[in-house]
Every structure is written in C-alpha cells, then in structure tokens.
Amino acid sequence: MATSPSSTAVNAAITTKASLRGVVFDMDGTLTVPVIDFPAMYRAVLGEEEYVKIKSKNPSGIDILHHTETWSPDKQKRAYQIIADFEKQGLDRLQIMPGASELCGFLDSRNIRRGLITRNVKEAVDLFHQRFGMIFSPALSREFRPYKPDPAPLLHICSNWDVQPNEVMMIGDSLKDDVACGKRAGAFTCLLDETGRYDSPEYQNVEFKPDYKVSSLVEIHKLLEKDFNLTPCPNSGTHK
C-alpha cells in the first residue's frame, strides 16, 4: 500500500506513477473553511423525525437536493429558501481553507489544471473567485445538471480539458458527493477529513472509498509529487 508521511493511500497499491494533468476541487469544506451547519439545515428542511429516519438509511450522508426533487412545487420552494438562507450565512463568513493558496500555487507552477465542482450556487462561486483571487476553470455550481455525486460535471471538465478521467484527481470533504463523483467518473479521489470523522465504523461499508485520505490540504503537495507524474494539460495555464 502506497503511503506518504502524513496521508494514507487506500485500496490498491500504486506500483507505477500515473500521469496527473488536472485537479478538481470541491468548494465548501475543501477550498473554504466549513461554516454551514448542514445537520441544522437538513433538520430545518425535513423536520426532526424525517431527518432521523433518512439519516439512519444513508450512513454516508443525506443528499438534500435529490431528496427534495420529488416534492410539490410549493414545498420545494420553501425547502430551497431554507437552503439558500443557510448558504447566505455561509457566504457572509467565507474563509479560505489553510493550505489552499499554497496548493493552488504549486499546481500552477507545474501547469496542472484546476477545476471546481460544488453543489452551492453560482453566486457563491463568483464570490469565492472575487474574494480570494483564485480562478478555477471550469467552475461548475449546482446550476449544472446533473450535479454531483453524478459523474457528469467531472466528465464535462475532463472533456473541456481534453484529458481522460484517470488523469485527474477529485479532492473533496464528502464521501457521498465528492468521492462518489470521482470514482464514478473513473478519476483518482482524495478525501479531506480534517477531524477523522470518516474513520467511524459507520463509514466502513460505503459504496465508494477514496484512493487517498488526508487531514489537511497541506499534505496533498507531497502526495502528488510522490505518487504521480505531473503532466501539463493541453492548453494548460489558461485558468490563471
């Protein structure tokens, strides 16, 4: 099993270095410090009883957007307003994740493309780009359908970059969204788990497991250099 000093490679051992041409990031909780109280949001949308019921059936997490898709228009509108209110609170407290700027600088220095996939709205992505001066391209928000965990947004980015999915890594803090999206697309995946919560037994039998798990973005620089041949994309550098 391949390991780096501060990260863990899971699943199959990597015996030869694969080419890596691009990295796609989740936004909330990955590039930005997690400030949205998702359990509180889910309780507000679903009600306590329904929240407990759904959570017990979905150990890797609740897909609130998918769950509300079949609701009546009025009920769906109320749910979306609650979600938007929580997201607005998150925008007001937006902070860059430690290590994000340095990691992006490293990727730029090696001409490795940077993309972004989030289930947040385009307004949040625009604010992120504006506030921190980091441009990710393509940057797909939930207005792009279908959204993750469907592999479509990641496959769209691969097509845009003219690379294969197995030349890309998806980095995010969610097993159910980011890792599932990446694995379904055929990409490498890296789970950011700051607190070690995914070490809990309830996550041991999930369908999709990451190739790597780190507790900080700071760890990814060495991981990429150790296990991958970092190869510039066609037309790399245009995202800067």
Side-chain angles (χ1 to χ4, degrees), residues 51-82:
Y51 167 75
V52 172
K53 178 182 176 183
I54 294 174
K55 188 174 185 300
S56 67
K57 296 179 180 179
N58 298 272
S60 62
I62 295 173
D63 188 340
I64 195 67
L65 296 177
H66 176 73
H67 188 78
T68 57
E69 280 181 347
T70 58
W71 288 5
S72 68
D74 285 346
K75 188 177 179 182
Q76 197 174 72
K77 184 178 179 180
R78 287 193 297 271
Y80 287 166
Q81 185 57 56
I82 292 171

Side-chain angles (χ1 to χ4, degrees), residues 26-224:
D26 166 55
M27 189 175 75
D28 297 303
T30 302
L31 290 171
T32 63
V33 175
V35 293
I36 298 175
D37 187 342
F38 285 103
M41 177 201 290
Y42 300 155
R43 285 185 170 93
V45 172
L46 300 169
E48 180 66 24
E49 184 177 344
E50 187 69 7
Y51 167 75
V52 172
K53 178 182 176 183
I54 294 174
K55 188 174 185 300
S56 67
K57 296 179 180 179
N58 298 272
S60 62
I62 295 173
D63 188 340
I64 195 67
L65 296 177
H66 176 73
H67 188 78
T68 57
E69 280 181 347
T70 58
W71 288 5
S72 68
D74 285 346
K75 188 177 179 182
Q76 197 174 72
K77 184 178 179 180
R78 287 193 297 271
Y80 287 166
Q81 185 57 56
I82 292 171
I83 293 170
D85 288 344
F86 273 88
E87 290 173 339
K88 175 63 167 60
Q89 295 171 27
L91 289 180
D92 293 340
R93 295 177 287 164
L94 199 62
Q95 299 177 54
I96 193 71
M97 181 69 79
S101 296
E102 294 81 0
L103 177 56
C104 290
F106 166 71
L107 294 174
D108 289 351
S109 74
R110 302 298 292 269
N111 287 320
I112 301 300
R113 297 295 297 266
R114 293 189 276 104
L116 185 152
I117 302 173
T118 178
R119 286 159 58 99
N120 209 323
V121 293
K122 183 179 183 298
E123 178 188 359
V125 176
D126 292 343
L127 179 62
F128 171 76
H129 281 156
Q130 176 186 356
R131 189 170 295 181
F132 297 111
M134 292 182 181
I135 303 300
F136 295 77
S137 179
L140 305 180
S141 57
R142 71 163 170 258
E143 286 81 2
F144 181 96
R145 299 294 185 96
Y147 37 69
K148 60 183 182 181
D150 192 284
L154 184 52
L155 293 173
H156 174 84
I157 290 178
C158 291
S159 176
N160 181 277
W161 287 347
D162 193 23
V163 300
Q164 296 300 312
N166 63 3
E167 299 176 309
V168 170
M169 177 177 282
M170 178 76 203
I171 300 175
D173 68 323
S174 171
L175 273 178
K176 71 178 180 65
D177 294 330
D178 306 313
V179 173
C181 174
K183 298 304 284 187
R184 285 170 172 157
F188 290 98
T189 58
C190 181
L191 178 67
L192 175 61
D193 185 9
E194 289 189 285
T195 62
R197 74 186 184 100
Y198 285 114
D199 292 332
S200 172
E202 66 183 299
Y203 297 109
Q204 298 311 301
N205 296 316
V206 295
E207 183 178 0
F208 297 105
K209 295 186 178 182
D211 299 292
Y212 294 91
K213 186 163 78 72
V214 298
S215 60
S216 167
L217 292 181
V218 175
E219 301 170 34
I220 295 176
H221 177 159
K222 290 182 179 179
L223 181 159
L224 296 180

